[in-house]
Amino acid sequence: MIWKTVKITNDKKGKTTPYASVGFGRITLNTAACELIENYEDYQYAELLTGYENNKLHIGIKLLKEISVDSVKLSKRFYKGKIRSFTIDNKLVVEDLFSINGTQQKVTRYTVLKDKDADNILMIVGV
């Protein structure tokens, strides 16, 4: 058999497109999403935010270096000594924000953008 490599393009939520995987009661930000924030390795906690733009719900993830009253600890996945992704585990909150997509036994991918008005906020758009 002759194998051909499948090309992964940026516009198909491939390896370099920032996205969040939501499901199983957690939100996972891929490497490209983490890299939208300068010095993302320094952040330990996150607050979840909600906001509307053009009548569409957006979920904000405000990265924090210090714990706050409403923050959750970020779980980090490492590969070759470098942080590759952040995960937020909180089944009840994820279900509240994403409804059935938040707790089903599969993941749904959402586009992630950096908030243009804040250096430490990522936005999951079009929830």
Side-chain angles (χ1 to χ4, degrees):
M1 179 178 297
I2 298 173
W3 294 100
K4 292 168 79 176
T5 300
V6 175
K7 297 294 180 192
I8 307 286
T9 61
N10 290 346
D11 62 339
K12 299 285 186 191
K13 293 188 181 177
K15 59 185 176 185
T16 59
T17 302
Y19 65 82
S21 298
V22 177
F24 299 94
R26 62 182 165 256
I27 302 167
T28 301
L29 299 170
N30 74 338
T31 303
C34 293
E35 289 175 344
L36 293 172
I37 302 293
E38 191 172 317
N39 298 318
Y40 69 92
E41 302 93 346
D42 297 339
Y43 294 94
Q44 302 296 319
Y45 301 92
E47 289 179 349
L48 296 170
L49 316 166
T50 58
Y52 286 87
E53 184 175 78
N54 298 327
N55 292 326
K56 289 195 176 197
L57 174 64
H58 297 320
I59 306 298
I61 300 173
K62 182 177 183 181
L63 300 175
L64 303 169
K65 294 179 182 178
E66 310 254 334
I67 194 168
S68 73
V69 174
D70 292 316
S71 67
V72 293
K73 180 99 170 112
L74 292 170
S75 299
K76 299 174 182 179
R77 192 187 90 211
F78 291 84
Y79 179 73
K80 293 186 178 180
K82 184 173 165 86
I83 296 171
R84 303 312 294 171
S85 67
F86 286 147
T87 300
I88 297 169
D89 290 298
N90 191 317
K91 186 175 183 174
L92 294 175
V93 172
V94 172
E95 182 177 29
D96 256 1
L97 294 172
F98 294 93
S99 190
I100 189 70
N101 286 347
T103 57
Q104 63 188 352
Q105 299 300 303
K106 65 177 189 169
V107 297
T108 302
R109 285 188 177 175
Y110 294 93
T111 300
V112 173
L113 302 172
K114 184 176 179 289
D115 184 341
K116 60 183 179 264
D117 298 323
D119 291 335
N120 64 330
I121 297 179
L122 295 172
M123 300 185 312
I124 301 173
V125 298
V127 177

